[in-house]
Amino acid sequence: MFTATKAIVLSKIKYKDNDLIVKCYTQKEGIVSYLLRGVFKSKKAYSKVAYFQELSQLHLVTDHKGKRGLQYIKEVKTSYLYSTLHTHVLKSAIVMFLAEVLSSSLQEEEQNDTLFNFLEATLQWLDTNETYANFHLLFLLNLSKHLGFYPDKTAIDAPYFNLYDGEFQYLKESKYCISGENLILLKQLLGTNFDALELVKINGSQRQAFLGVMLLYFELHLGAFKKPKSLQVFNEVFS
C-alpha cells in the first residue's frame, strides 16, 4: 500500500557504495528513515539526491510498512521550493544547525500535525525574511512548546528562571537558575513572534550565551539530545 505524505528532510548519509539513507520528519508518520537504492549509480538516478538537502520540504509517495526499519520512496517532488535557504551563506548555516537540533530532538514515530505545521511555516518564514539573526533562538524556544517543556510563565516577574524545572522562581534554588541578561532576553522572546524579531537587539556574545542556555535547556529535558557538531562553526558565523 502506497502512502502520500509531506516531509521535511533532517539528515542523509551514504550507505554502501550506491545507496543513500535519508531521515525525515513526515506529516503522517513522524520520524521515518528511507533507503534510496542505487542513487549514486548513474547521473539520472543521482539527480534525486538534490531533493534531499537538509530541511527541504517534500511531498513523498512511499511504500510504507510499519515494522520495516527502512522505508522506500516511490515518488518525490518538492512541496515548497526555497529561494534562499540553501544558497544564502548565513541562512545555510542556520539550516545545518537546526537540522542537527531537530534530528536529535524529534523521536516520535506518529502523526503530529501541529508540530509539522510549525516546522513548515517557520522555515518558510526564514526563507522569505531578511531579519533572521535571532531566528534560531525564538525557533528553539517555540519548539520546546511542541516537545512539552515550554517555560511556565506563571511567575514571569520573578528574578530567576530554573532551566531544570522550566519555571520562573523568586529564589535561586539550583545551579540551573539563570538571571541577568539571559533572563531578560528569555522574557523578551516569550513575548515576541517572528515578525517582531527585528525589535530584539542583542550583540553576538549575548546571542551566543543565550544559545548555550537554550541548548542546556534541551539537554535537561530531552534525554537523547546532543549538542550539534556544527555549534562552533555556527557561533563563529553569528558572532
Side-chain angles (χ1 to χ4, degrees), residues 88-222:
H88 189 286
V89 174
L90 296 181
K91 289 187 179 182
S92 294
I94 296 175
V95 165
M96 182 183 302
F97 174 77
L98 291 184
E100 277 197 82
V101 169
L102 290 170
S103 189
S104 185
S105 301
L106 305 181
Q107 306 294 332
E108 293 182 356
E109 297 179 354
E110 59 186 41
Q111 186 168 348
N112 186 334
D113 286 328
T114 304
L115 174 54
F116 188 89
N117 293 339
F118 163 75
L119 298 176
E120 189 177 51
T122 52
L123 292 172
Q124 291 178 20
W125 185 94
L126 177 61
D127 184 54
T128 57
N129 282 268
E130 295 307 314
T131 306
Y132 53 82
N134 299 318
F135 171 86
H136 56 293
L137 303 181
L138 185 56
F139 179 92
L140 291 177
L141 186 58
N142 287 351
L143 178 61
S144 74
K145 180 185 300 182
H146 296 278
L147 299 179
F149 53 96
Y150 192 68
D152 181 347
K153 298 188 288 184
T154 303
I156 195 169
D157 293 330
Y160 299 101
F161 179 76
N162 189 321
L163 296 171
Y164 187 83
D165 293 336
E167 62 183 20
F168 292 92
Q169 298 175 344
Y170 286 93
L171 299 174
K172 188 175 183 179
E173 297 181 359
S174 85
K175 63 180 180 180
Y176 296 117
C177 286
I178 63 168
S179 58
E181 287 185 343
N182 285 325
L183 181 73
I184 292 170
L185 181 53
L186 174 61
K187 291 182 178 182
Q188 188 175 6
L189 288 174
L190 284 170
T192 299
N193 59 40
F194 285 99
D195 289 330
L197 262 180
E198 62 185 32
L199 301 177
V200 178
K201 305 296 184 182
I202 57 174
N203 59 38
S205 60
Q206 291 170 318
R207 185 178 299 113
Q208 184 170 331
F210 189 77
L211 177 57
V213 166
M214 287 306 303
L215 293 177
L216 176 58
Y217 191 45
F218 271 61
E219 285 185 80
L220 291 172
H221 291 271
L222 298 174

